[in-house]
């Protein structure tokens, strides 16, 4: 969900590094690299931490021939030919874990992540579907998906995790809330976020002002927070707000935040306030909007305040479901199945 250019934030580097051929040192022994993505959000940030004889990298980008070639260029160029000994993955989404298995298998790297991230990613890479499962189509129908888009998704081969995530071999090293991890000559505390992805790891340095945030904390966009067919009664909005309110007291104005997208920034206390207020504001607008019953697909206007195209439709739909379901599950709205199309429609109480 876009929420404009934040006030009170500072961006020390406004121009990102070129994929493969460049890296920017954002802190002593910490390099910022960027990898392209074939979607509207067209990049993911990766960070390399110098371990002396090798590198620890944070997140990886998608798996593709192009991405592997860019990595080989980066390893030989900005990373100086030193091996990657460890891959730390913040969360299970493909742009972050896509090449972790390749680094394990081809480069001998150790994989470090949370249990939920590893289990989810490995399960999804092994769950390849040629047609959309009936449960998925039912979820779309109950969300009020546009009939033309629903028909297309009924007939097309669905997105499969395995399309862009390398196979994950058995074995990983678990991190959890309250752990510390040594990376790049620093001791970093592990604090777990939720909402955007379950058990999302963030890392807070005890030795300087570094915060490695993945997608839990981004500067000029809010991470997508959606409900999916795998857990249709999840409440990621509630989990997101809880995580933000728990992480906010850790924030200092001088923290340099290295996020999974956009550019590094300072001004973290203000940003945490904005991330929380953004979703409270969206819930208030949505509550006003559903004075009359509406399905998730009919609620894009108050949530996003911009036109949603086909490319963003799926992410917008699951985020609309998440916000409506949060109102329903917290007792602020009712829901019922609409006879005409079988969609859940939500209405404000009172």
């Amino acid at each position: 969900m876009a929420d404009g250019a934040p006030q009170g934030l500072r961006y020390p580097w406004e121009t990102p590094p070129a994929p493969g051929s460049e890296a920017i040192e954002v802190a002593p022994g910490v390099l910022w690299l960027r990898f392209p993505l074939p979607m509207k959000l067209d990049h993911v940030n990766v960070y390399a931490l110098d371990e002396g004889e090798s590198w620890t990298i944070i997140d990886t980008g998608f798996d593709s021939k192009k991405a592997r070639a860019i990595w080989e260029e980066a390893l030989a160029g900005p990373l100086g030919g030193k091996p990657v000994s460890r891959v730390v993955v913040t969360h299970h989404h493909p742009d972050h874990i896509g090449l972790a298995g390749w680094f394990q298998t081809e480069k001998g790297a150790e994989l470090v992540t949370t249990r939920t991230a590893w289990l989810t990613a490995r399960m999804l890479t092994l769950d390849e579907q040629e047609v959309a499962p009936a449960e998925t189509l039912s979820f779309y129908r109950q969300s009020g998906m546009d009939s033309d888009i629903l028909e297309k998704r009924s007939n097309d081969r669905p997105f499969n995790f395995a399309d862009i995530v390398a196979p994950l071999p058995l074995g990983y090293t678990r991190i959890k809330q309250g752990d510390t991890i040594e990376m790049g000559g620093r001791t970093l505390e592990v604090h777990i976020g939720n909402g955007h992805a379950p058990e999302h790891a963030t890392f807070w340095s005890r030795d300087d002002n570094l915060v490695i945030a993945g997608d839990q904390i981004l500067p000029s966009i809010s991470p997508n927070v959606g409900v999916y067919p795998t857990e249709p009664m999840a409440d990621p909005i509630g989990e997101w707000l809880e995580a933000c309110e728990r992480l906010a007291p850790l924030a200092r104005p001088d923290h340099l935040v290295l996020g999974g997208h956009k550019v590094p920034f300072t001004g973290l206390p203000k940003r945490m306030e904005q991330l929380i207020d953004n979703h409270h504001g969206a819930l208030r607008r949505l509550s006003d909007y559903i004075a009359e019953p509406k399905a998730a697909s009919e609620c894009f206007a108050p949530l996003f305040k911009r036109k949603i195209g086909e490319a963003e439709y799926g992410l917008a739909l699951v985020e609309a479901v998440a916000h409506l379901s949060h109102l329903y599950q917290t007792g602020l709205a009712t829901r019922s199945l609409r006879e005409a199309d079988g969609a859940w429609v939500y209405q404000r109480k009172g």
Side-chain angles (χ1 to χ4, degrees):
M1 183 187 302
D3 54 356
Q7 302 300 310
L9 275 67
R10 297 290 178 268
Y11 305 98
W13 302 273
E14 294 189 358
T15 303
S21 60
E22 290 182 7
I24 295 173
E25 187 172 37
V26 293
V30 181
L31 301 182
W32 168 30
L33 299 93
R34 178 167 280 193
F35 285 75
L37 298 176
M39 56 182 67
K40 185 164 185 179
L41 186 58
D42 63 1
H43 68 275
V44 64
N45 295 326
V46 168
Y47 302 97
L49 283 74
D50 193 347
E51 306 294 2
E53 298 301 313
S54 65
W55 297 96
T56 290
I57 61 167
I58 311 287
D59 296 334
T60 69
F62 281 171
D63 181 25
S64 67
K65 288 182 179 178
K66 179 180 180 181
R68 294 185 189 203
I70 293 172
W71 262 116
E72 295 291 6
E73 182 182 359
L75 289 166
L79 299 188
K82 292 196 301 188
V84 170
S85 57
R86 182 170 54 172
V87 177
V88 177
V89 170
T90 57
H91 63 296
H92 79 272
H93 291 165
D95 49 331
H96 297 264
I97 204 168
L99 277 163
W102 177 70
F103 273 105
Q104 284 180 280
T105 303
E106 300 296 324
K107 308 294 185 183
E110 174 192 14
L111 173 59
V112 179
T113 191
T114 65
R115 178 180 286 166
T116 303
W118 187 82
L119 288 173
T120 304
R122 195 162 198 276
M123 177 270 292
L124 289 170
T125 59
L126 299 171
D127 182 30
E128 198 163 352
Q129 306 284 346
E130 292 302 319
V131 295
E135 298 86 352
T136 298
L137 297 176
S138 174
F139 175 83
Y140 289 156
R141 199 172 293 111
Q142 290 179 345
S143 303
M145 178 175 275
D146 176 88
S147 57
D148 290 341
I149 295 176
L150 179 60
E151 183 177 4
K152 188 172 188 298
R153 294 196 177 202
S154 301
N155 295 319
D156 289 353
R157 180 180 183 274
F159 162 75
N160 282 281
F161 223 69
D163 296 341
I164 51 175
V165 177
L168 288 161
L170 277 177
Y172 78 108
T173 300
R174 182 189 179 195
I175 48 173
K176 61 186 185 302
Q177 174 65 38
D179 284 352
T180 59
I181 184 171
E182 304 293 324
M183 296 191 291
R186 297 164 175 81
T187 300
L188 297 103
E189 297 178 357
V190 178
H191 290 280
I192 298 299
N194 277 303
H196 174 66
E199 211 179 359
H200 183 308
T202 65
F203 305 92
W204 303 66
S205 175
R206 289 179 175 175
D207 301 300
D208 57 12
N209 64 338
L210 210 61
V211 176
I212 302 171
D215 287 358
Q216 189 71 33
I217 305 169
L218 298 174
S220 56
I221 55 172
S222 290
N224 180 261
V225 179
V227 167
Y228 293 86
T230 46
E231 192 181 342
M233 290 308 296
D235 182 20
I237 298 297
E239 293 176 353
W240 168 259
L241 291 169
E242 183 281 327
C244 285
E245 287 161 3
R246 177 166 41 81
L247 295 174
L250 304 174
R252 304 195 311 257
D254 70 314
H255 270 138
L256 176 64
V257 184
L258 308 181
H261 304 280
K262 303 299 182 177
V263 296
F265 70 96
T266 61
L268 183 53
K270 181 64 175 177
R271 186 56 186 152
M272 296 307 299
E273 178 186 323
Q274 291 169 334
L275 288 171
I276 293 167
D277 289 350
N278 181 47
H279 283 283
H280 281 306
L283 290 166
R284 286 192 295 270
R285 294 193 304 274
L286 187 59
S287 181
D288 291 341
Y289 194 71
I290 58 171
E292 299 297 326
K294 290 186 175 63
S297 60
E298 297 159 353
C299 293
F300 293 170
L303 284 175
F304 307 109
K305 299 184 286 186
R306 60 185 172 85
K307 184 174 176 57
I308 298 296
E310 188 173 346
E312 312 111 278
Y313 186 93
L315 290 175
L317 186 67
V318 297
E319 187 147 347
V321 172
H323 283 83
L324 287 165
S325 187
H326 180 75
L327 292 175
Y328 169 63
Q329 292 188 62
T330 53
L332 298 175
T334 62
R335 78 171 190 175
S336 58
L337 279 174
R338 189 163 59 192
E339 288 188 15
D341 59 359
W344 285 113
V345 291
Y346 297 79
Q347 186 171 15
R348 184 182 71 229
K349 275 189 178 178

